């Protein structure tokens, strides 16, 4: 059916890390956006203008390096968290010593030769980059790091998305057969240690199965206690930094965000807004994360800037890098790809996975109040005319069956 509706240290600081075929006339591209093949994080790091010192470039050495001479045993993410809380509480910018300290952390991480799931987790690199971009969890007010720091953070996150396998995302719907009954206590038993844990090696789907290949977009599933997904052929990935449909068909469906990343739909495996404040937002994902702030009726979408739910400052909204990207798209009247996930507010969100629902344009923005009384920026988007209607037939029953088999193959 088709419808045209239109992070000891952490407690002290109160901050912890949380763990293609559109018609040519409908494709709008940004001529300044070069395809993202290899992200040069060190080139961005050199622009921060830091005092030159010898910094480690191996994750294990970065982890123990005394970035803060007053707290030489404090890990990099804890240093970043502490400084973030202080500038929020004191409503100020970084002082020169803090600038050098945080810049050194960013530069050291940028010099890592290869990001892996293990070293990213050990260093809490995503948490660090999120802090720099204004999206630190559990902060109670707005703050902003220097623009050059934010550019380094964006570049590092892009590299992580390219190089690191992705753990299973909780918001992506489990198969019907995996839903537990209200009386099922197996999860609690496992946590209490009274029930045997799952084997570390689990049955994986047949990657040669055409049905599997048809929905996975060159993404493979790897063994382990936590299911992980990785890109098989990085050269086949489609750059996401183009405006417009970017070769996608309205209604195109993906089982997981990493698939949408590989297909050029959305350039982030976690963030809801993908883009840059320099050129704008290319795409957004509408999920259930901000149900109390966002509104969605299909044609009209009210979408909040990132980290909007936590602010307690009634006068100053949180202005993150991602929020500024949305503002740039508004100022330039750029179209934004909208993807919806299962569990979203609109009654016609996909039953499973993620669906591309077409191009929307921001027609206005304003300041609203969250449940804490804090200000946040909310954008009003309207679906563009002259494009295929939202395809409610996706995912098809066949796609849902393959998705369920994939999720159940544990």
């Amino acid at each position: 059916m088709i419808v045209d509706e239109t992070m000891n240290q952490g407690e002290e600081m109160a901050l912890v890390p949380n763990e293609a075929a559109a018609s040519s006339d409908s494709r709008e591209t940004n001529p300044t956006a070069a395809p993202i093949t290899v992200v040069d994080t060190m080139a961005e790091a050199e622009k921060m203008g830091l005092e030159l010192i010898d910094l480690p470039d191996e994750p294990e050495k970065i982890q123990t390096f005394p970035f803060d001479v007053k707290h030489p045993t404090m890990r990099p993410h804890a240093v970043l968290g502490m400084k973030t809380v202080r500038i929020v509480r004191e409503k100020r910018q970084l002082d020169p010593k803090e600038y050098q300290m945080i810049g050194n952390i960013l530069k050291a991480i940028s010099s890592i030769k290869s990001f892996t799931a293990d070293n990213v987790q050990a260093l809490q690199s995503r948490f660090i980059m999120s802090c720099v971009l204004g999206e630190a969890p559990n902060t109670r007010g707005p703050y902003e790091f220097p623009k050059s720091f934010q550019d380094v953070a964006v570049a590092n996150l892009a590299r992580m998305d390219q190089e690191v396998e992705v753990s299973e995302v909780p918001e992506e719907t489990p198969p019907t057969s995996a839903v537990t009954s209200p009386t099922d206590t197996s999860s609690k038993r496992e946590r209490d240690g009274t029930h045997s844990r799952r084997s570390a090696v689990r049955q994986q789907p047949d990657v040669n199965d055409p049905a599997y290949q048809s929905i996975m977009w060159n993404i493979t599933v790897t063994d382990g206690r936590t299911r992980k997904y990785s890109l098989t052929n990085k050269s086949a990935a489609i750059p996401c930094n183009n405006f417009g449909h970017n070769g996608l068909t309205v209604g195109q469906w993906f089982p997981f965000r990493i698939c949408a990343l590989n297909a050029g739909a959305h350039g982030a495996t976690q963030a809801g807004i993908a883009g840059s404040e320099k050129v704008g937002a290319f795409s957004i994902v509408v999920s259930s994360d901000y149900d109390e702030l966002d509104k969605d009726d299909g044609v009209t979408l009210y979408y909040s800037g990132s980290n909007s739910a936590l602010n307690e400052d009634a006068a100053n909204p949180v202005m993150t890098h991602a929020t500024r990207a949305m503002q740039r798209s508004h100022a330039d009247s750029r179209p934004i790809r909208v993807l919806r996930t299962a569990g979203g507010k609109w009654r016609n969100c996909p039953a499973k996975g993620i669906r591309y629902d077409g191009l929307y344009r921001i027609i206005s923005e304003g300041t609203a109040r969250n449940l804490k009384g804090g200000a946040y920026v909310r954008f009003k988007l309207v679906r563009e005319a002259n494009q295929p209607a939202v395809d409610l037939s996706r995912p098809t029953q066949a796609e849902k069956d393959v998705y369920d088999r994939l999720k159940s193959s544990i």
Side-chain angles (χ1 to χ4, degrees):
M1 179 174 65
I2 299 198
V3 63
D4 190 9
E5 293 180 336
T6 338
M7 166 163 14
N8 15 45
Q9 293 168 338
E11 294 176 353
E12 173 188 337
M13 295 180 286
L15 184 62
V16 296
N18 291 333
E19 293 300 291
S23 60
S24 59
D25 59 344
S26 68
R27 180 187 180 112
E28 182 180 344
T29 59
N30 173 17
T32 65
I36 302 175
T37 52
V38 177
V39 181
D40 191 347
T41 49
M42 277 305 294
E44 291 294 338
E46 294 297 340
K47 299 176 184 178
M48 293 187 290
L50 303 173
E51 177 186 344
L52 296 180
I53 67 170
D54 290 331
L55 293 170
D57 59 4
E58 298 175 10
E60 297 80 5
K61 294 180 179 179
I62 295 173
Q63 184 81 305
T64 58
F65 188 82
F67 290 100
D68 185 346
V69 294
K70 291 184 178 180
H71 305 92
T73 63
M74 188 177 283
R75 300 294 176 92
H77 74 273
V79 173
L80 207 296
M82 176 179 64
K83 297 304 179 183
T84 300
V85 167
R86 286 182 178 175
I87 65 173
V88 172
R89 182 183 300 147
E90 299 168 11
K91 297 183 178 181
R92 62 174 177 82
Q93 301 296 314
L94 296 174
D95 64 31
K97 289 184 178 179
E98 291 170 331
Y99 185 101
Q100 180 74 32
M101 188 187 305
I102 303 305
N104 286 342
I105 292 174
L106 292 173
K107 187 174 182 179
I109 293 176
S110 299
S111 68
I112 294 175
K113 293 179 175 59
S114 178
F115 286 129
T116 67
D118 288 343
N119 66 43
V120 168
Q121 175 64 27
L123 284 168
Q124 294 291 346
S125 297
R126 287 190 181 275
F127 167 76
I128 289 173
M129 303 309 157
S130 294
C131 284
V132 172
L133 293 175
E135 300 174 3
N138 303 328
T139 52
R140 299 183 178 183
Y143 68 96
E144 187 172 10
F145 281 97
K147 299 297 183 185
S148 59
F149 285 23
Q150 296 185 41
D151 290 341
V152 175
V154 169
N156 274 288
L157 287 173
R159 265 192 65 196
M160 292 176 207
D161 283 336
Q162 291 178 12
E163 300 176 13
V164 182
E165 59 187 4
V166 179
S167 297
E168 188 162 1
V169 181
E171 76 172 21
E172 292 160 346
T173 315
T176 304
S177 60
V179 177
T180 58
S181 69
T183 58
D184 189 343
T185 59
S186 59
S187 294
K188 183 177 186 300
R189 286 177 182 148
E190 288 186 15
R191 289 195 299 269
D192 291 344
T194 58
H195 194 278
S196 60
R197 293 184 177 272
R198 289 174 176 166
S199 170
V201 178
R202 306 181 299 185
Q203 179 185 353
Q204 301 300 326
D206 180 5
V207 297
N208 296 315
D209 182 347
Y212 169 90
Q213 293 177 337
S214 70
I215 70 169
M216 289 303 288
W217 288 83
N218 290 316
I219 303 299
T220 58
V221 182
T222 58
D223 291 332
R225 193 179 302 281
T226 300
R227 183 183 291 273
K228 295 180 183 295
Y229 307 91
S230 57
L231 179 56
T232 307
N233 181 6
K234 293 183 180 180
S235 65
I238 300 172
C240 297
N241 60 334
N242 291 310
F243 291 104
H245 291 295
N246 200 27
L248 300 165
T249 299
V250 174
Q252 203 151 339
W253 179 81
F254 311 94
F256 311 110
R257 286 201 190 194
I258 191 173
C259 300
L261 171 69
N262 195 34
H266 185 66
T269 56
Q270 297 184 15
I273 301 171
S276 164
E277 69 174 280
K278 292 181 179 179
V279 297
F282 302 108
S283 59
I284 62 174
V285 172
V286 184
S287 66
S288 59
D289 290 352
Y290 284 175
D291 268 354
E292 74 277 15
L293 305 181
D294 298 342
K295 295 181 180 179
D296 184 7
D297 68 5
V299 175
T300 303
L301 171 63
Y302 290 89
Y303 195 83
S304 54
S306 58
N307 237 34
S308 293
L310 300 176
N311 188 26
E312 296 181 3
D313 188 327
N316 300 295
V318 173
M319 294 302 296
T320 65
H321 183 90
T323 301
R324 294 189 189 279
M326 293 286 282
Q327 290 180 321
R328 174 53 64 91
S329 283
H330 181 204
D332 295 346
S333 192
R334 288 285 198 179
I336 299 173
R337 291 187 296 277
V338 170
L339 296 90
R340 289 185 172 90
T341 70
K345 215 167 191 179
W346 185 35
R347 68 182 185 278
N348 292 317
C349 284
K352 302 172 187 291
I354 305 163
R355 185 183 65 216
Y356 173 54
D357 283 351
L359 297 175
Y360 288 63
R361 204 176 295 263
I362 300 173
I363 63 169
S364 66
E365 64 179 271
T367 302
R369 297 285 182 270
N370 60 27
L371 298 179
K372 298 176 181 289
Y376 70 95
V377 179
R378 186 163 72 171
F379 301 91
K380 181 180 181 180
L381 298 89
V382 174
R383 195 170 190 272
E384 293 275 82
N386 303 318
Q387 62 179 326
V390 175
D391 187 352
L392 302 185
S393 70
R394 307 293 295 277
T396 65
Q397 187 58 51
E399 288 170 328
K400 288 187 281 189
D401 290 344
V402 176
Y403 180 90
D404 282 352
R405 292 202 305 271
L406 173 62
K407 299 284 282 190
S408 297
S409 59
I410 302 173

